[in-house]
Amino acid sequence: MGTDSTGKFAEWDDERYSTNVERFDEQHKRLFGLLNDLHTAMNEGHSEEEVGDILRELERYTEYHFGDEEEFMQNCGYAMDCSDCFYNHREMHEEFAGKVQELREKHENGEYVTMEVLTVARDWLDAHIAAGDEDQNYADYFQTEVSDDYEYEPGQLYQDRTASDDPVPVDRQSEAAGVRLDSDIYDGGSLSVPDGSVAAWFEDIVANHGDRTAALVRDDGEFVERSFEELAERAKAVAGGLLSTELRPGDRLAIRAQSQYEWSVLDLACHFAGLVPVALYPSASDDRAAQIIERTGATGLVAAGDVAEDLAMAVEIVLDFEALPTAEARVLPGLQTDGDEVATVAFDVASPAEKAGCALTHRNMLAAAESLREGLPTGPGATGTCSLPLAHIYQRVSTYYLWATGSAVAYLGAEEFVDQLAAVKPDVLVGVPKMYQQLYGEIQDRLGDMGWMKRKVGGRVASYGEGIVEGRGTPLKYRAANRLVYKPLRQEMGLSNLTYALSGTGQLDDHLLYFFRGLGVPICELYGSVGTTGVGALNPADSYVEESIGDPMPGVEIAVSENRELLVRGPTVLGGFLDDDRTGTQTLRDDWYHTGEVGEVGPDGKLSLAE
């Protein structure tokens, strides 16, 4: 690999380098881009400050990419019974990371960094991902062996594989012993939870915000508005249709479809009809879906597309998601449902179906929405996003939160959400680390397409963000970068109206956090799980504390047990498990939900998860 006719120092070639795993192709391209930026800065005599910024970003991104890739490869390596291949490959990673660190340290020590050293780094990258290398072998495994419902989550597998031989014990004491704490109880304050059912709650929402926009729905390439009144009318008609079938109040109805407006319609219809929706991840395999249906005792299944024979045989009735039945409902049983009854059964995509399943009550769901409303206040008329699976409880209660504030939910395609943001200009972005990684890649591409002057002015975005997060503020030149580069980029990407950019299900990598804060995107992290209805603690943008999970949300109490397990208590804690004899007594005791995660309180008094 060498400089090509376009003048780039390191040129990407799909045929030579693509692994056919999109996540890693994008990361490899980013490494190429950083080497090109560094070559240009050195070749054109840019300032030492700018060269240093690129070197530090290259070092940060190298660490991020290798950690990300190693975790996936380690998982696949063990599955392929070739763990030695993984360890050999990791040694290659460490070699390159060492070269990048050496470059950065030489520059900081005032030593001259030669083009020869940079060429060595480029040639190593070429050898690392060129055809026939280990990356390609793992990509073949990914294509042929990894199931469709595989969800890659950075950090967890790697953390598990590298755990010490003597891990911190999490000893769930016997129920008779009670719960013994080793910390203060961190209290998020009082919370007034609406009485009754989700259906009755939504009736009140419609009464308050009837003609306001409840949803933005993609139709022939444009977003069209649906009011709260229209949403309620459609949901009640579908509720009547469901009750005109063999389904009866109290039955459990499995839903298997991509997130969209009609998914929310069906969800509300179930609540109006007194049915219990069981949300299946659309990416889940037929086997997993069948396991969940069997475990929950679902009577019916609503599915988009063809339904496997085994799934159809597992239920009494199968309905087409694209043609939901409708009828006038003379009675809507869900309006009289008690708040302590089960509202939905939710699953964690990362947990085996036979070992998971949380029964969440109407009170749980409404408490989560109300906690978000108090913790993230926004006024009527705002717009939030829905691009995650609505089977994910975090996304579902986020839609309830938006409706509770009189705000609209914009239904964005999971794959197209980056391109659709500009059309809706959300006030609240509901995301996860993987989504911010996608958004980061697109913004980096647009930064790279700018003229060299704007690239130079805006190139320190992560450094600026680090200063903001750490409380050091920004230098005067940040104003110019914001005016010339960051503000136009936010407007172009549809991020200019953001009040909250939520990230749930796991902490963002530092480089992503710094990047978006430098760009002017108000990232805040939400800690929660299925067992806490997606709500637990909030690490807000205006008082962000690195490595912390933040402070408890309104209505939530958090503590650390004697055995260092993080405990959560409050109205968002699940009503029970599918198998109370086997699971409930182990993880729910004295009203405390035992998360299974090791927690600690730092010297600053802030809660965090232990490494």
Side-chain angles (χ1 to χ4, degrees), residues 271-348:
H271 290 309
F272 279 120
L275 302 173
V276 178
V278 177
L280 304 177
Y281 281 85
S283 61
S285 65
D286 288 343
D287 286 344
R288 181 176 173 88
Q291 287 177 334
I292 292 175
I293 287 172
E294 181 181 358
R295 285 211 68 219
T296 59
T299 303
L301 168 66
V302 179
D306 297 332
V307 177
E309 184 177 352
D310 289 348
L311 286 181
M313 294 289 290
V315 293
E316 297 177 16
I317 180 173
V318 177
L319 300 173
D320 184 357
F321 181 80
E322 306 297 336
L324 294 174
T326 59
E328 183 177 354
R330 288 173 294 179
V331 178
L332 294 171
L335 292 174
Q336 282 74 49
T337 299
D338 186 86
D340 290 327
E341 293 187 33
V342 176
T344 189
V345 178
F347 286 78
D348 183 346

Side-chain angles (χ1 to χ4, degrees), residues 9 18 51 97 143 189 205 217 234 239 290 311 323 378 403 416 420 434 456 482 492 545 551 557 572:
F9 175 68
S18 177
V51 172
Q143 297 295 323
I205 298 295
V217 186
R234 171 70 178 158
L311 286 181
T378 187
W403 288 335
E416 305 86 10
Q420 294 176 357
K434 183 178 180 179
K456 181 177 180 180
N482 187 49
E492 181 183 345
V545 178
D551 295 321
E557 292 178 315
T572 64

Side-chain angles (χ1 to χ4, degrees), residues 41 54 64 67 89 113 194 197 250 342 347 417 420 431 468 509 518 531 534 536 571 585:
I54 298 172
Y64 164 77
H89 203 66
V113 179
S197 66
V342 176
F347 286 78
F417 88 96
Q420 294 176 357
I468 293 170
D509 292 289
T585 57

Side-chain angles (χ1 to χ4, degrees), residues 4 6 69-70 88 134 145 173 178 202 261 302 334 346 401 409 458 464 479 482 513 522 539 576 578-579 585 601:
D4 77 329
T6 65
E69 185 179 78
E70 282 176 15
N88 293 339
E134 213 65 53
E145 301 294 335
Q173 305 145 24
F202 193 70
Y261 174 66
V302 179
Y401 145 65
V409 176
Y464 293 141
R479 294 183 182 178
N482 187 49
L513 174 66
N539 203 356
L578 292 184
D579 187 349
T585 57
V601 180

Side-chain angles (χ1 to χ4, degrees), residues 367-437:
E370 185 64 17
S371 184
L372 287 168
R373 189 183 71 81
E374 289 196 14
L376 302 165
T378 187
T383 298
T385 63
C386 174
S387 59
L388 302 171
L390 277 160
H392 201 311
I393 200 65
Y394 161 54
Q395 178 67 80
R396 207 172 343 159
V397 298
S398 292
T399 64
Y400 290 5
Y401 145 65
L402 291 164
W403 288 335
T405 66
S407 299
V409 176
Y411 293 84
L412 311 180
E415 300 300 325
E416 305 86 10
F417 88 96
V418 172
D419 296 328
Q420 294 176 357
L421 283 173
V424 299
K425 297 180 176 60
D427 303 274
V428 180
L429 181 59
V430 180
V432 294
K434 183 178 180 179
M435 284 178 51
Y436 286 104
Q437 178 66 46

Side-chain angles (χ1 to χ4, degrees), residues 100-419:
V100 172
Q101 182 180 3
E102 181 183 356
L103 281 174
R104 191 261 305 161
E105 289 177 347
K106 281 186 173 182
H107 180 267
E108 289 183 349
N109 292 333
E111 299 178 43
Y112 179 65
V113 179
T114 66
M115 285 292 181
E116 181 181 356
V117 176
L118 194 56
T119 301
V120 169
R122 179 193 66 184
D123 292 345
W124 183 94
L125 191 59
D126 173 70
H128 170 61
I129 60 174
D133 192 67
E134 213 65 53
D135 280 13
Q136 300 286 335
N137 298 332
Y138 282 97
D140 292 341
Y141 172 84
F142 181 87
Q143 297 295 323
T144 58
E145 301 294 335
V146 176
S147 63
D148 291 339
D149 62 339
Y150 177 76
E151 290 285 340
Y152 176 73
E153 293 293 342
Q156 189 57 50
L157 286 174
Y158 186 72
Q159 187 178 47
D160 291 345
R161 298 290 193 196
T162 57
S164 67
D165 294 332
D166 185 23
V168 176
V170 177
D171 176 22
R172 295 186 173 91
Q173 305 145 24
S174 68
E175 189 167 8
V179 176
R180 296 189 293 272
L181 303 182
D182 192 42
S183 76
D184 294 334
I185 296 176
Y186 290 74
D187 190 347
S190 62
L191 182 71
S192 177
V193 183
D195 294 327
S197 66
V198 170
W201 165 82
F202 193 70
E203 282 278 79
D204 291 338
I205 298 295
V206 176
N208 291 329
H209 304 290
D211 59 352
R212 291 187 186 278
T213 302
L216 294 172
V217 186
R218 192 80 167 171
D219 186 14
D220 290 332
E222 301 290 335
F223 281 96
V224 297
E225 298 179 354
R226 297 282 187 269
S227 70
F228 282 95
E229 290 173 343
E230 290 174 299
L231 174 54
E233 181 179 356
R234 171 70 178 158
K236 289 177 181 179
V238 173
L242 294 174
L243 292 174
S244 69
T245 68
E246 296 90 335
L247 295 168
R248 293 295 176 264
D251 286 349
R252 291 176 176 178
L253 180 64
I255 304 173
R256 193 186 196 192
Q258 296 289 342
S259 293
Q260 53 191 288
Y261 174 66
E262 281 292 289
W263 205 110
S264 287
V265 166
L266 180 56
D267 179 43
L268 289 171
C270 286
H271 290 309
F272 279 120
L275 302 173
V276 178
V278 177
L280 304 177
Y281 281 85
S283 61
S285 65
D286 288 343
D287 286 344
R288 181 176 173 88
Q291 287 177 334
I292 292 175
I293 287 172
E294 181 181 358
R295 285 211 68 219
T296 59
T299 303
L301 168 66
V302 179
D306 297 332
V307 177
E309 184 177 352
D310 289 348
L311 286 181
M313 294 289 290
V315 293
E316 297 177 16
I317 180 173
V318 177
L319 300 173
D320 184 357
F321 181 80
E322 306 297 336
L324 294 174
T326 59
E328 183 177 354
R330 288 173 294 179
V331 178
L332 294 171
L335 292 174
Q336 282 74 49
T337 299
D338 186 86
D340 290 327
E341 293 187 33
V342 176
T344 189
V345 178
F347 286 78
D348 183 346
V349 69
S351 299
E354 69 274 11
K355 295 182 179 179
C358 295
L360 302 175
T361 67
H362 292 268
R363 178 172 169 79
N364 291 153
M365 302 288 279
L366 298 182
E370 185 64 17
S371 184
L372 287 168
R373 189 183 71 81
E374 289 196 14
L376 302 165
T378 187
T383 298
T385 63
C386 174
S387 59
L388 302 171
L390 277 160
H392 201 311
I393 200 65
Y394 161 54
Q395 178 67 80
R396 207 172 343 159
V397 298
S398 292
T399 64
Y400 290 5
Y401 145 65
L402 291 164
W403 288 335
T405 66
S407 299
V409 176
Y411 293 84
L412 311 180
E415 300 300 325
E416 305 86 10
F417 88 96
V418 172
D419 296 328

